[in-house]
Amino acid sequence: VLMSDSERLGDAPSSGGNIGNPENGPADIQESESNDALALADKIENEKIVVSNLDSGTDLDVYELSINQDGYVKVIFRPSITFTGEENWHFRFMEDKGNGISRKILKDININERYVFNEKVSKSNKYYILIDAQDGVNYSSENYRLFYEFSSNEEIESNDSLSKATPIFMNSEYFGN
Protein backbone atom coordinates (compact mmCIF):
# COMPACT_ATOMS: atom_id res chain seq x y z
CA VAL A 1 0.00 0.00 0.00
CA LEU A 2 1.43 3.38 -0.98
CA MET A 3 0.60 6.40 1.15
CA SER A 4 1.12 10.07 0.54
CA ASP A 5 2.47 12.42 3.23
CA SER A 6 -1.07 13.65 3.90
CA GLU A 7 -2.09 10.13 4.91
CA ARG A 8 0.55 9.83 7.63
CA LEU A 9 -0.62 7.51 10.45
CA GLY A 10 1.03 9.39 13.30
CA ASP A 11 3.56 8.46 15.94
CA ALA A 12 3.62 5.23 17.87
CA PRO A 13 2.19 5.37 21.40
CA SER A 14 4.78 5.90 24.13
CA SER A 15 3.56 3.27 26.59
CA GLY A 16 4.01 -0.49 26.79
CA GLY A 17 6.11 -3.19 25.29
CA ASN A 18 9.62 -2.21 26.38
CA ILE A 19 9.93 -3.59 29.88
CA GLY A 20 12.27 -6.55 29.62
CA ASN A 21 11.15 -9.99 30.76
CA PRO A 22 8.64 -9.84 33.64
CA GLU A 23 8.98 -13.55 34.29
CA ASN A 24 12.74 -13.55 34.90
CA GLY A 25 13.75 -9.94 35.48
CA PRO A 26 14.54 -8.36 38.83
CA ALA A 27 11.62 -7.79 41.20
CA ASP A 28 10.16 -4.31 41.66
CA ILE A 29 7.87 -5.20 44.59
CA GLN A 30 8.10 -7.76 47.38
CA GLU A 31 4.70 -8.81 48.69
CA SER A 32 4.04 -7.63 52.25
CA GLU A 33 2.18 -9.42 55.02
CA SER A 34 -0.54 -9.19 56.03
CA ASN A 35 -2.29 -8.83 52.68
CA ASP A 36 -4.90 -11.51 53.25
CA ALA A 37 -8.07 -9.41 52.78
CA LEU A 38 -9.36 -6.90 50.23
CA ALA A 39 -8.98 -4.05 52.73
CA LEU A 40 -5.31 -5.03 53.26
CA ALA A 41 -4.46 -5.69 49.61
CA ASP A 42 -1.00 -4.76 48.34
CA LYS A 43 -1.40 -2.18 45.58
CA ILE A 44 0.56 -3.02 42.45
CA GLU A 45 1.37 -0.70 39.57
CA ASN A 46 1.39 -1.27 35.83
CA GLU A 47 4.51 -3.06 34.55
CA LYS A 48 5.92 -3.76 38.03
CA ILE A 49 7.12 -7.27 38.84
CA VAL A 50 5.84 -8.68 42.14
CA VAL A 51 7.74 -11.52 43.82
CA SER A 52 5.92 -13.29 46.59
CA ASN A 53 5.70 -16.29 48.81
CA LEU A 54 2.93 -17.88 50.82
CA ASP A 55 3.83 -18.20 54.49
CA SER A 56 1.65 -21.23 55.17
CA GLY A 57 -1.04 -23.48 53.76
CA THR A 58 -3.72 -21.05 54.93
CA ASP A 59 -2.10 -17.85 53.64
CA LEU A 60 -3.99 -15.80 51.05
CA ASP A 61 -2.28 -13.04 49.06
CA VAL A 62 -4.47 -10.21 47.77
CA TYR A 63 -3.39 -7.51 45.33
CA GLU A 64 -5.21 -4.44 44.05
CA LEU A 65 -4.39 -3.25 40.53
CA SER A 66 -3.97 0.49 39.94
CA ILE A 67 -6.26 1.24 36.99
CA ASN A 68 -6.44 4.91 35.94
CA GLN A 69 -8.25 4.61 32.61
CA ASP A 70 -10.47 2.25 30.63
CA GLY A 71 -8.68 -0.41 28.64
CA TYR A 72 -7.28 -3.91 29.01
CA VAL A 73 -4.86 -5.68 31.30
CA LYS A 74 -2.67 -8.64 30.49
CA VAL A 75 -1.88 -10.53 33.70
CA ILE A 76 0.96 -13.02 34.01
CA PHE A 77 1.16 -15.42 36.98
CA ARG A 78 4.21 -17.69 37.09
CA PRO A 79 4.88 -20.10 39.93
CA SER A 80 8.55 -20.62 40.73
CA ILE A 81 7.98 -24.33 41.18
CA THR A 82 5.61 -26.39 39.04
CA PHE A 83 4.18 -29.76 39.98
CA THR A 84 3.46 -32.31 37.27
CA GLY A 85 -0.18 -33.30 37.10
CA GLU A 86 -1.27 -31.36 40.18
CA GLU A 87 -3.14 -28.08 40.34
CA ASN A 88 -1.49 -26.38 43.28
CA TRP A 89 -2.45 -22.73 42.85
CA HIS A 90 -5.87 -21.11 43.22
CA PHE A 91 -5.92 -17.88 41.17
CA ARG A 92 -8.86 -15.43 41.10
CA PHE A 93 -9.38 -12.09 39.35
CA MET A 94 -12.13 -9.99 40.94
CA GLU A 95 -13.97 -6.86 39.84
CA ASP A 96 -15.55 -4.59 42.46
CA LYS A 97 -18.17 -2.17 41.11
CA GLY A 98 -18.83 0.08 44.07
CA ASN A 99 -17.09 -0.60 47.40
CA GLY A 100 -18.19 -4.18 47.92
CA ILE A 101 -21.78 -3.78 46.77
CA SER A 102 -21.29 -5.59 43.48
CA ARG A 103 -18.28 -7.95 43.40
CA LYS A 104 -17.78 -10.44 40.60
CA ILE A 105 -15.11 -13.09 40.09
CA LEU A 106 -14.05 -12.77 36.44
CA LYS A 107 -11.46 -15.58 36.52
CA ASP A 108 -11.36 -18.49 38.97
CA ILE A 109 -8.92 -21.25 38.12
CA ASN A 110 -6.77 -23.90 39.75
CA ILE A 111 -3.43 -24.16 37.97
CA ASN A 112 0.03 -25.66 38.32
CA GLU A 113 1.96 -23.64 35.74
CA ARG A 114 2.30 -20.27 34.06
CA TYR A 115 -1.03 -18.54 33.41
CA VAL A 116 -1.63 -15.52 31.15
CA PHE A 117 -4.96 -13.84 30.44
CA ASN A 118 -6.38 -10.55 29.14
CA GLU A 119 -9.35 -8.75 30.65
CA LYS A 120 -11.21 -5.54 29.85
CA VAL A 121 -11.13 -3.07 32.77
CA SER A 122 -12.77 0.21 33.69
CA LYS A 123 -11.26 3.08 35.68
CA SER A 124 -14.49 3.37 37.68
CA ASN A 125 -14.07 -0.12 39.20
CA LYS A 126 -11.52 -1.78 41.47
CA TYR A 127 -9.71 -4.97 40.46
CA TYR A 128 -8.14 -7.56 42.74
CA ILE A 129 -6.02 -10.68 42.31
CA LEU A 130 -6.34 -13.35 45.00
CA ILE A 131 -3.81 -16.18 45.22
CA ASP A 132 -3.65 -19.10 47.60
CA ALA A 133 -2.15 -22.59 47.55
CA GLN A 134 -3.51 -26.07 47.35
CA ASP A 135 -1.71 -29.13 48.70
CA GLY A 136 1.95 -29.59 47.86
CA VAL A 137 3.24 -26.04 47.64
CA ASN A 138 6.71 -25.57 49.12
CA TYR A 139 6.64 -22.42 51.26
CA SER A 140 9.98 -20.96 50.27
CA SER A 141 11.46 -17.50 49.76
CA GLU A 142 9.86 -17.17 46.32
CA ASN A 143 6.74 -19.10 45.38
CA TYR A 144 5.52 -17.03 42.44
CA ARG A 145 5.81 -13.92 40.28
CA LEU A 146 2.93 -11.67 39.31
CA PHE A 147 2.84 -8.96 36.67
CA TYR A 148 0.28 -6.95 34.74
CA GLU A 149 0.52 -4.67 31.76
CA PHE A 150 -2.15 -2.11 30.86
CA SER A 151 -3.12 -1.23 27.30
CA SER A 152 -5.69 1.24 25.99
CA ASN A 153 -5.23 -0.03 22.42
CA GLU A 154 -8.56 -1.28 21.14
CA GLU A 155 -9.87 -2.20 17.74
CA ILE A 156 -12.22 0.49 16.38
CA GLU A 157 -15.46 -0.70 14.77
CA SER A 158 -16.39 -0.76 12.00
CA ASN A 159 -13.06 -1.72 10.52
CA ASP A 160 -14.09 -4.11 7.79
CA SER A 161 -12.39 -2.34 4.88
CA LEU A 162 -9.05 -0.68 4.11
CA SER A 163 -10.54 2.79 4.37
CA LYS A 164 -11.89 2.04 7.88
CA ALA A 165 -8.89 0.08 9.20
CA THR A 166 -7.80 0.60 12.80
CA PRO A 167 -4.27 2.07 12.77
CA ILE A 168 -1.81 -0.13 14.64
CA PHE A 169 1.82 0.28 15.67
CA MET A 170 4.63 -2.26 15.82
CA ASN A 171 5.35 -3.86 19.22
CA SER A 172 1.93 -2.88 20.61
CA GLU A 173 -0.84 -5.23 21.67
CA TYR A 174 -4.43 -4.60 20.57
CA PHE A 175 -7.71 -6.01 21.83
CA GLY A 176 -11.09 -6.42 20.19
CA ASN A 177 -13.68 -8.78 18.79
Side-chain angles (χ1 to χ4, degrees):
V1 174
L2 297 175
M3 297 175 58
S4 68
D5 288 339
S6 64
E7 296 175 309
R8 187 171 185 274
L9 292 176
D11 296 324
S14 61
S15 64
N18 193 15
I19 54 169
N21 186 342
E23 297 183 59
N24 297 316
D28 297 306
I29 301 168
Q30 176 68 45
E31 169 250 356
S32 63
E33 292 295 345
S34 165
N35 64 334
D36 56 358
L38 296 181
L40 302 171
D42 283 346
K43 291 189 186 333
I44 57 175
E45 301 291 327
N46 182 38
E47 299 184 356
K48 299 294 183 190
I49 300 169
V50 177
V51 174
S52 185
N53 65 308
L54 296 174
D55 291 331
S56 69
T58 59
D59 191 13
L60 171 69
D61 288 345
V62 182
Y63 302 94
E64 181 181 345
L65 280 63
S66 297
I67 304 296
N68 300 324
Q69 60 182 337
D70 296 346
Y72 293 84
V73 292
K74 176 167 93 176
V75 176
I76 300 173
F77 170 77
R78 186 187 60 90
S80 298
I81 304 168
T82 59
F83 301 88
T84 306
E86 298 177 24
E87 295 174 335
N88 294 96
W89 298 95
H90 188 194
F91 181 94
R92 287 158 287 180
F93 187 72
M94 176 190 288
E95 177 181 58
D96 185 348
K97 294 182 178 181
N99 293 328
I101 296 170
S102 177
R103 290 185 179 143
K104 180 179 179 183
I105 301 288
L106 302 176
K107 300 282 182 198
D108 187 350
I109 187 167
N110 291 320
I111 54 178
N112 70 335
E113 59 189 8
R114 180 180 184 268
Y115 181 59
V116 179
F117 73 93
N118 298 303
E119 190 69 47
K120 190 169 187 169
V121 293
S122 169
K123 67 180 176 186
S124 59
N125 301 331
K126 290 184 178 182
Y127 295 90
Y128 298 93
I129 294 173
L130 296 85
I131 299 171
D132 60 335
Q134 308 296 327
D135 293 333
V137 171
N138 178 17
Y139 305 103
S140 63
S141 60
E142 180 185 319
N143 289 138
Y144 64 85
R145 287 175 168 249
L146 182 64
F147 174 84
Y148 84 93
E149 182 176 25
F150 177 83
S151 175
S152 60
N153 298 332
E154 185 172 15
E155 159 198 39
I156 301 169
E157 294 291 354
S158 123
N159 61 341
D160 54 357
S161 69
L162 286 175
S163 63
K164 297 178 183 177
T166 301
I168 61 171
F169 300 96
M170 296 292 290
N171 299 321
S172 295
E173 193 164 17
Y174 288 78
F175 300 90
N177 298 332

